[in-house]
Amino acid sequence: MDSNKTHVKSTYRMTSENILRKDWYEILGASPSDSLQELRQHYQRLVLLYHPDKQSADVPVGELEECVQRFIEVDQAWKILGNEETKREYDLQRRDVAMTQNWPVDAQVPLEDMSWIEADQCYTYDCRCGGEYVLSKEEAEENEFLLCCDTCSLSIEILNSG
């Protein structure tokens, strides 16, 4: 082996710059509420559709390149969404970006008015639509105080007196 050559293993590192550059759910034709099994089915269907070895020999070069690019995107989406830890991180980053938008605040609610659910380690507050606002213990500790309803588009600001 030539000692002057350096071999670098290519790995996909999830950083806020590259993870949020695309909507990985859209690439898989999925939604954030899909189960891991549903995400896997979307992935498997698309991999078979776009895999370079599955393309006909008479496919034009430009079309083949598009399939290869799409195959790479589908594979990257699965690497993020197919792993519980990276999916959770991606979902949190998406939520953070959404929260930094100029969302209208429909109400201000003191943290003390929220219900603590010991089993789930989170605070909840009922929305007027019948849905609920959920604030995890970690979010409360990190002072995340703008919440969206899990059912409708309303949002509330949590006031923490402590």
Side-chain angles (χ1 to χ4, degrees):
M1 180 178 202
D2 186 346
S3 62
N4 293 330
K5 291 184 179 177
T6 304
H7 296 280
V8 178
K9 183 178 177 185
S10 176
T11 58
Y12 183 80
R13 285 210 246 123
M14 188 167 62
T15 64
S16 52
E17 300 92 49
N18 62 18
I19 193 170
L20 291 174
R21 73 174 192 257
K22 295 182 181 178
D23 183 341
W24 301 113
Y25 288 107
E26 184 178 320
I27 288 170
L28 287 184
S31 78
S33 62
D34 285 352
S35 68
L36 186 60
Q37 181 62 32
E38 290 168 315
L39 291 172
R40 181 179 288 115
Q41 289 170 351
H42 287 283
Y43 165 73
Q44 290 171 337
R45 180 181 55 79
L46 292 172
V47 162
L48 288 175
L49 182 65
Y50 293 112
H51 195 286
D53 293 343
K54 300 289 184 184
Q55 303 307 310
S56 161
D58 60 349
V59 171
V61 174
E63 196 174 313
L64 182 60
E65 288 173 1
E66 286 178 29
C67 285
V68 169
Q69 185 57 41
R70 186 85 167 102
F71 174 78
I72 291 168
E73 285 181 337
V74 166
D75 189 56
Q76 287 175 334
W78 178 246
K79 284 178 181 172
I80 292 168
L81 300 177
N83 175 295
E84 283 186 39
E85 184 178 321
T86 56
K87 180 184 183 302
R88 184 178 62 77
E89 185 176 331
Y90 174 63
D91 289 344
L92 286 172
Q93 288 182 18
R94 286 184 67 198
R95 184 173 165 267
D96 286 348
V97 167
M99 291 296 188
T100 60
Q101 309 293 324
N102 277 333
W103 293 99
V105 174
D106 298 291
Q108 293 182 322
V109 177
L111 184 60
E112 302 81 43
D113 288 357
M114 296 185 77
S115 301
W116 173 250
I117 309 298
E118 185 66 36
D120 296 330
Q121 293 288 296
C122 67
Y123 295 92
T124 63
Y125 188 79
D126 292 333
C127 180
R128 65 181 183 221
C129 76
E132 68 181 353
Y133 301 96
V134 179
L135 181 69
S136 72
K137 180 180 177 183
E138 293 80 19
E139 290 170 324
E141 290 169 355
E142 294 172 7
N143 295 324
E144 296 288 331
F145 295 110
L146 186 59
L147 300 177
C148 290
C149 174
D150 64 1
T151 304
C152 72
S153 62
L154 296 177
S155 61
I156 60 171
E157 181 179 10
I158 306 302
L159 304 175
N160 189 0
S161 61

